[in-house]
Amino acid sequence: RETAEVLFLWAADGRLPRETRRELISACVRVATRAVAAAPSDYLVWLWLARTQALSGNWEEADRYLSRARELRPQGKAVRMFAGGK
């Protein structure tokens, strides 16, 4: 899960060349997919998979995975696609 988060942050960095970002997004999707397979009841891995799908432009998949993360979240825990600023 931590690897998906780091890759996601790099892939979202608009200062990087477009091709580098595409490669990072692909790697991020692969890592997040493996994380879900390894821990299917962990809501955070589903959330990272949703975020990586959104970053790659797959909004329907992102929405589906976000819904799954919300189903699995602990009681009272907020789950948002992207956190707001401080």
Side-chain angles (χ1 to χ4, degrees):
R1 153 175 94 199
E2 292 82 10
T3 303
E5 182 177 0
V6 170
L7 287 171
F8 176 86
L9 293 173
W10 286 346
D13 187 342
R15 298 171 295 177
L16 294 175
R18 186 178 306 256
E19 186 57 35
T20 301
R21 291 179 66 208
R22 271 192 220 119
E23 290 172 15
L24 287 167
I25 291 168
S26 293
C28 193
V29 169
R30 285 192 306 273
V31 167
T33 301
R34 285 188 203 127
V36 164
S41 62
D42 182 347
Y43 81 101
L44 289 174
V45 295
W46 286 97
L47 179 58
W48 280 109
L49 183 55
R51 289 173 175 167
T52 61
Q53 291 295 337
L55 191 61
S56 65
N58 297 323
W59 291 101
E60 288 182 22
E61 293 292 313
D63 187 52
R64 188 171 64 144
Y65 298 142
L66 179 62
S67 294
R68 182 66 178 140
R70 288 180 173 152
E71 290 171 4
L72 294 170
R73 74 177 176 221
Q75 186 70 13
K77 187 79 170 172
V79 175
R80 295 181 185 91
M81 181 67 80
F82 300 105
K86 291 184 179 181

